Amino acid sequence: MPASDMRYVYDFTEGGMKQKDLLGGKGANLAEMTRMGLPVPPGFTITTDACRHFLTEGAPPADLSDQVHAALRLLEQQAGRALGSESDPLLVSVRSGAKFSMPGMMDTVLDIGLNDTTVPAVAERTGDAHFAWDSYRRLIQMFAKTVLGVPGGLFEEALDRAVRDNGLTADVDLPVAALQELVAEYQGLVLRETGAEFPQDPDRQLMMAILAVFESWNTDRARLYRRQERIPHDLGTAVNVQMMVFGNLGEDSGTGVAFTRDPATGASGVYGDYLADAQGEDVVSGIRNTLPLAALGELDPAAYQQLLSIMSQLEEHYRDLCDIEFTIQEGVLWMLQTRIGKRTAAAAFRIAVHLVDEGLIDMDEAMRRVTGQQLSQLMFPQFDLTQGAAVLTTGMGASPGAATGVIVFDSETAVARAAGGEESILVRRETNPDDLPGMVAAAGILTSRGGKTSHAAVVARGMGKTAVCGAEELDIDYDAGTVTLAGGEVLREGDTISIDGASGKVYAGRLPVAPSAVVKYFDGGIDAAYDHADAPTRDLVSAVDRIMRHADEVRRLGVRANADTAEDADRARRMGAGGIGLCRTEHMFLGERKHLVEQLILAESVAEREAAFAELLPLQRKDFIRILERMDGLPVTIRLLDPPLHEFLPDLTELSVRVAVAEQRGESQQNDLRLLAAVRRHHEANPMLGLRGVRLGLVLPGLFALQVRAIAEAACFRQRLGGDPRAEIMIPLVGSVQELELVIDEAAGVLRSVAESHGCSLQFPIGTMIELPRAALTAGQIAEAAEFFSFGTNDLTQTTWGFSRDDVEANFFSAYLERGVFGVSPFESIDEAGVGRLVRLAADEGRAVRPTLGLGVCGEHGGDPDSVGFFDRAGLDYVSCSPFRVPVARLAAGRSALPDSSDADTR
């Protein structure tokens, strides 16, 4: 469709909640509430298409202004007022609204339409000159900061000065004359800072505000939030233009935020905040401490009952927790927004299962409503309070978790502390969107103002960050860098505190932590988790148990664990692993056994080499016996030695110094000299691409044969005891089928020899890791020899991108993330377009040659929920990850098995 024919503006009477891509979340839900017949102030939505055009072309679509003014004329008819009218002016708000909720990250402008001419008309119509001039003051301040780029602090200073000069303590008490003087001062600030008068034309105000909201999509805070939440940068935001309704018209007016369930715990009930005689930003900013929503029942029973009825209607309609913004104007209730509410991890699991029990959703949908990231959060440790702890103060538990760190008072310091590896607690009176970098960097957030619906609470819950809000006893002095407690005790920047985001308690010092109830459940079963647990904890554990059972019932993809010791294998099995997908044998050569590897490397004859092998064999055999015992009946994929030899030898510089010192002292150094010669001989400029993996097995005769023999003898031992050992032998770093064939020939000979001499059956599959691009590209050839592939996605990512992970993550990944080269680190989540394409190609070509070819993945990506979904779609048989991540992978595999039909926004 030509740009001139595109439709960019939709009235609220059009569209619905399924059109979030076009109308944004806010616009789609406003349209949906309008369709439901709820009391929504009329308005219209400018689409995300218009925003993307603006961001791409640097200018709005040519006919956007015409479409906006056509929609405005309809709005004026619906409202019975006209923008800019000198007798009965219409005032409108301009708000952002992206597909995914980004609370506070983009811009809003209220009271568009006020100017020197219309403000007296508003005063006359409402009979409240204070309201009219205060609204004008708010418009100039918000418009100047948001649209014109004037520093907001200039207006805040002027407002504080006016309050002081009038002998007052709050701006709501300023007399009309003082507000008129303040408006004049604000207009002077605009002229001084921009060189132009504050715009008096309401139509111009409107278009300037719309474009400012478009531009706010790419502010630093918005981009940071999207990176944090993995929201694509190319979506753009819609803009909603809506008739203003006012909660600051007296005691019969007010504004609030409500949740249909507790977003912190998931419990049913009435939750939210309310402020009489206030506008919406007064609630969410946390500037004023709010009343609980239930207080509205006493202040305005009729509006309260109507609100409860609408809340119930919305939750049943959306089949989920709803977050609602509303305003009461002179006793009349208006719905300003609804959306699927952000919630804590615990609330997500509880709510999902409760909705099943209430018949609103089924277990498939319940599983869609929770994420692997949320399950990970539930497995984090909690404070161990059994030894007692000094409570400094108590606020409102806004986002659960246990966080400890040093006190910092600003975002910049939190970021700097994090860069230095130090955890901090960001302590603020209230937070605002500019604090986002510090909120991301800090371990937790503590505010003295605001409630569960404040900016700090909503953003923290969305990020899974621990937060305590509304700790009113705290007197925070930014200039002095102190926090004064109710009893007079003073805490300073750098002091350590601990905050509990569930109870709202703030403790002195660093507290010990204990395993969470969910970890106890995975480790010891539901009875172990129930032991000494309170009712909410039991409810949570029960919800996790029901969802995990369902995930295991529906998933196709297997989940194994990376485990190198018997203890790791024990935990992996308790966590629900279906075997071991990666047992790294190099760890068995370290510690006290390292000297045996040195002997092997220093061996100058076959006899010396065989002597070293003879000492290593029983040690390796014992290790494998223990692991196979713990995983009896389940597959255990054992990777033969992979690292380069330098990891088993002393550092070249340190050894050279040691030899030089000994030589100077005249001490004997024969062994060190031999070792130094070996270190120099094996020194490599790039050892990770040098003599390692299969290359080492081919160059160092007998090494892989030793390991295969140890595995075989361990399996025979387990068989004689009635066990069911299921070892799988994996060759690392194969780049050509010829390498693999040589090792397989050697290994097969060892297996035959051990089977014959011990009288046991050793039908173990032998396969390879696919961790080099060449291996992926020649997978068809390699599959002729290999019985299974295991994708080593850590190395495959390094070799595909040409990255040295240890170097690049510290040197330039942050810049790549900032500039949009990555949406997320390719080491954290699989690069589907590049590395993922190699995985698909190797899987397809391998199975074309050998249809029974086993396929798995054993890199860190095996525990990343997004990557697990990709591996499932690619047709792999299993993923393997650390034992602690096994439950996350099980849940992700279950979610991946479901058809993509959810209407839930799990972000």
Side-chain angles (χ1 to χ4, degrees):
M1 177 183 295
S4 59
D5 295 333
M6 285 194 68
R7 187 176 178 191
Y8 294 110
V9 181
Y10 289 77
D11 189 79
F12 288 170
T13 57
E14 306 169 291
M17 66 181 184
K18 301 292 187 182
Q19 294 179 283
K20 292 180 181 178
D21 286 326
L22 179 68
L23 304 178
K26 186 175 296 181
N29 289 325
L30 285 168
E32 189 71 19
M33 288 196 294
T34 301
R35 290 176 57 184
M36 293 170 65
L38 301 182
V40 177
F44 56 87
T45 299
I46 303 162
T47 67
T48 56
D49 287 337
C51 178
R52 286 192 291 268
H53 184 286
F54 175 82
L55 296 174
T56 302
E57 304 297 330
D63 57 345
L64 180 62
S65 179
D66 291 342
Q67 292 190 33
V68 167
H69 284 96
L72 179 62
R73 299 291 86 82
L74 176 59
L75 171 56
E76 290 173 333
Q77 292 174 20
Q78 295 167 335
R81 296 180 182 136
L83 192 71
S85 168
E86 295 183 9
S87 58
D88 194 10
L90 170 69
L91 304 183
V92 298
S93 62
V94 177
R95 301 175 187 268
S96 62
K99 176 181 179 180
F100 299 111
S101 176
M102 296 172 54
M105 296 303 112
M106 291 180 290
D107 289 335
T108 293
V109 183
L110 306 180
D111 303 315
I112 291 287
L114 281 173
N115 58 26
D116 294 347
T117 303
T118 57
V119 70
V122 172
E124 182 177 349
R125 185 185 78 211
T126 61
D128 190 339
H130 183 280
F131 157 76
W133 285 97
D134 186 54
S135 297
Y136 194 19
R137 185 271 304 175
R138 290 173 183 257
L139 167 64
I140 298 172
Q141 182 171 349
M142 190 176 292
F143 192 96
K145 179 183 177 183
T146 299
V147 181
L148 304 178
V150 180
L154 297 175
F155 300 96
E156 294 168 7
E157 291 169 6
L159 180 60
D160 291 342
R161 190 163 52 248
V163 171
R164 288 196 306 272
D165 291 348
N166 282 271
L168 303 170
T169 57
D171 61 84
V172 294
D173 298 321
L174 285 170
V176 173
L179 287 171
Q180 291 171 332
E181 292 175 1
L182 194 58
V183 164
E185 184 175 357
Y186 277 11
Q187 290 177 329
L189 285 172
V190 170
L191 178 60
R192 187 187 78 191
E193 294 295 319
T194 68
E197 300 279 357
F198 177 79
Q200 293 292 307
D201 179 2
D203 286 339
R204 183 164 175 251
Q205 290 178 5
L206 177 60
M207 290 307 300
M208 290 177 70
I210 290 169
L211 299 186
V213 173
F214 285 163
E215 288 180 330
S216 72
W217 175 257
N218 277 332
T219 60
D220 290 343
R221 66 174 184 256
R223 294 185 68 85
L224 174 60
Y225 185 86
R226 290 198 296 274
R227 286 199 304 273
Q228 181 77 12
E229 298 297 310
R230 298 191 184 183
I231 297 173
H233 289 301
D234 59 356
L235 296 180
T237 182
V239 179
N240 299 286
V241 178
Q242 189 172 26
M243 182 185 80
M244 285 289 301
V245 289
F246 298 96
N248 55 338
L249 276 173
E251 291 304 315
D252 62 348
S253 302
T255 189
V257 177
F259 294 94
T260 56
R261 298 174 191 245
D262 188 339
T265 68
S268 298
V270 178
Y271 298 92
D273 299 315
Y274 181 73
L275 267 178
D277 196 16
Q279 283 195 311
E281 69 267 23
D282 297 331
V283 175
V284 297
S285 68
I287 292 173
R288 293 167 59 185
N289 281 342
T290 57
L291 297 173
L293 186 62
L296 178 59
E298 299 178 8
L299 297 172
D300 191 336
Y304 181 63
Q305 289 303 318
Q306 183 186 6
L307 176 64
L308 293 184
S309 175
I310 291 174
M311 289 169 65
S312 177
Q313 189 177 349
L314 285 171
E315 180 169 281
E316 185 171 349
H317 185 74
Y318 281 87
R319 304 184 305 143
D320 207 345
L321 161 69
C322 290
D323 173 355
I324 298 162
E325 294 181 16
F326 67 93
T327 284
I328 299 172
Q329 179 175 312
E330 298 176 310
V332 178
L333 175 66
W334 293 96
M335 307 304 295
L336 302 184
Q337 175 171 301
T338 191
R339 60 190 172 197
I340 302 302
K342 290 189 179 294
R343 67 208 70 185
T344 64
F349 276 83
R350 288 194 185 105
I351 290 170
V353 170
H354 291 173
L355 290 173
V356 171
D357 294 340
E358 293 166 21
L360 290 175
I361 61 175
D362 59 18
M363 281 302 296
D364 280 359
E365 183 63 24
M367 191 162 62
R368 291 189 186 98
R369 299 281 178 91
V370 297
T371 67
Q373 184 181 23
Q374 289 169 330
L375 182 59
S376 292
Q377 291 170 17
L378 294 179
M379 297 173 72
F380 292 159
Q382 301 169 336
F383 287 137
D384 182 358
L385 302 177
T386 56
Q387 304 302 314
V391 178
L392 298 175
T393 189
T394 301
M396 185 177 296
S399 185
T404 295
V406 298
I407 293 172
V408 298
F409 292 105
D410 58 74
S411 179
E412 293 78 8
T413 306
V415 171
R417 295 270 190 177
E422 189 172 17
E423 293 185 331
S424 66
I425 304 296
L426 180 62
V427 180
R428 303 285 292 169
R429 297 190 190 103
E430 70 276 332
T431 64
N432 63 60
D434 293 333
D435 291 317
L436 183 65
M439 298 173 75
V440 172
I445 301 151
L446 171 63
T447 70
S448 61
R449 300 174 183 169
K452 286 187 177 180
T453 59
S454 65
H455 175 268
V458 172
V459 174
R461 280 196 297 273
M463 294 192 299
K465 186 81 65 174
T466 302
V468 173
C469 296
E472 300 178 13
E473 294 179 347
L474 300 180
D475 182 7
I476 301 170
D477 187 332
Y478 296 139
D479 294 333
T482 60
V483 181
T484 304
L485 307 178
E489 182 181 354
V490 177
L491 301 176
R492 303 183 185 281
E493 182 161 327
D495 289 347
T496 300
I497 59 173
S498 300
I499 63 174
D500 187 329
S503 68
K505 288 184 168 56
V506 181
Y507 301 94
R510 182 177 297 274
L511 297 186
V513 294
S516 74
V518 173
V519 169
K520 291 179 183 177
Y521 157 71
F522 286 121
D523 252 347
I526 201 163
D527 290 338
Y530 274 7
D531 190 31
H532 297 105
D534 57 18
T537 301
R538 291 186 173 209
D539 187 35
L540 171 61
V541 171
S542 174
V544 172
D545 177 65
R546 288 174 62 182
I547 288 176
M548 293 304 299
R549 288 178 184 273
H550 189 67
D552 289 337
E553 288 172 3
V554 303
R555 65 183 168 93
R556 178 199 67 83
L557 192 68
V559 178
R560 301 187 189 179
N562 300 340
D564 307 334
T565 66
E567 292 72 26
D568 286 345
D570 269 342
R571 164 153 275 198
R573 195 153 192 167
R574 292 196 304 270
M575 289 285 179
I580 292 177
L582 175 63
C583 175
R584 290 163 289 218
T585 57
E586 54 265 25
H587 294 158
M588 303 172 185
F589 288 85
L590 299 175
E592 296 178 354
R593 305 178 187 181
K594 198 171 181 179
H595 73 283
L596 296 176
V597 183
E598 290 182 1
Q599 289 180 25
L600 182 61
I601 295 170
L602 292 175
E604 296 179 351
S605 66
V606 173
E608 288 181 348
R609 187 166 61 245
E610 292 298 329
F613 285 153
E615 287 193 68
L616 283 168
L617 178 62
L619 300 175
Q620 283 262 279
R621 182 173 58 231
K622 182 178 179 181
D623 292 331
F624 293 136
I625 288 172
R626 295 181 67 211
I627 291 174
L628 292 172
E629 177 185 13
R630 305 301 170 87
M631 280 287 165
D632 196 59
L634 296 177
V636 178
T637 305
I638 301 170
R639 183 179 73 186
L640 303 186
L641 196 65
D642 181 44
L645 286 179
H646 83 276
E647 292 193 11
F648 302 100
L649 294 172
D651 177 76
L652 175 60
T653 302
E654 291 180 3
L655 185 58
S656 299
V657 170
R658 194 165 78 201
V659 168
V661 170
E663 187 178 62
Q664 188 175 25
R665 292 174 177 173
E667 298 172 354
S668 175
Q669 49 181 322
Q670 190 61 36
N671 190 65
D672 279 353
L673 284 171
R674 291 182 65 203
L675 197 55
L676 180 59
V679 170
R680 286 173 173 161
R681 187 169 63 251
H682 291 291
H683 177 72
E684 296 176 297
N686 191 346
M688 298 311 293
L689 293 178
L691 184 60
R692 54 170 288 213
V694 67
R695 304 159 191 171
L696 186 61
L698 294 175
V699 170
L700 193 59
L703 177 61
F704 279 4
L706 159 75
Q707 293 194 285
V708 172
R709 180 173 295 278
I711 295 168
E713 292 180 357
C716 288
F717 178 83
R718 290 292 305 146
Q719 286 182 14
R720 286 197 297 272
L721 295 179
D724 182 17
R726 299 188 182 182
E728 300 177 345
I729 298 172
M730 183 160 68
I731 316 303
L733 210 71
V734 165
S736 75
V737 67
Q738 290 84 1
E739 292 173 315
L740 182 60
E741 288 171 341
L742 289 170
V743 176
I744 287 178
D745 287 346
E746 181 183 32
V750 173
L751 292 175
R752 282 195 302 271
S753 171
V754 173
E756 291 171 1
S757 60
H758 289 266
C760 55
S761 174
L762 298 176
Q763 302 301 314
F764 295 155
I766 301 177
T768 183
M769 291 185 78
I770 301 294
E771 48 194 332
L772 296 175
R774 190 181 192 282
L777 294 170
T778 60
Q781 298 175 24
I782 293 175
E784 294 176 358
E787 294 177 82
F788 66 86
F789 288 168
S790 181
F791 292 93
T793 53
N794 295 344
D795 274 355
L796 188 57
T797 298
Q798 291 196 95
T799 53
T800 300
W801 278 91
F803 286 155
S804 168
R805 180 174 182 175
D806 293 339
D807 297 320
V808 298
E809 288 190 318
N811 289 341
F812 63 82
F813 263 32
S814 59
Y816 268 39
L817 290 166
E818 173 69 27
R819 302 185 69 176
V821 178
F822 302 143
V824 62
S825 165
F827 292 109
E828 182 181 340
S829 195
I830 194 75
D831 160 33
E832 293 190 24
V835 178
R837 186 176 179 188
L838 289 174
V839 170
R840 283 186 182 274
L841 183 148
D844 293 344
E845 294 194 359
R847 280 200 168 148
V849 171
R850 186 187 292 264
T852 60
L853 184 73
L855 296 173
V857 62
C858 59
E860 288 300 313
H861 298 99
D864 170 61
D866 290 340
S867 302
V868 169
F870 167 77
F871 295 132
D872 194 15
R873 295 190 301 274
L876 272 62
D877 299 312
Y878 68 87
V879 295
S880 189
C881 55
S882 68
F884 197 76
R885 298 286 290 176
V886 164
V888 174
R890 288 166 54 200
L891 176 60
R895 282 167 49 89
S896 177
L898 300 177
D900 186 16
S901 61
S902 173
D903 56 7
D905 176 8
T906 56
R907 295 177 195 268

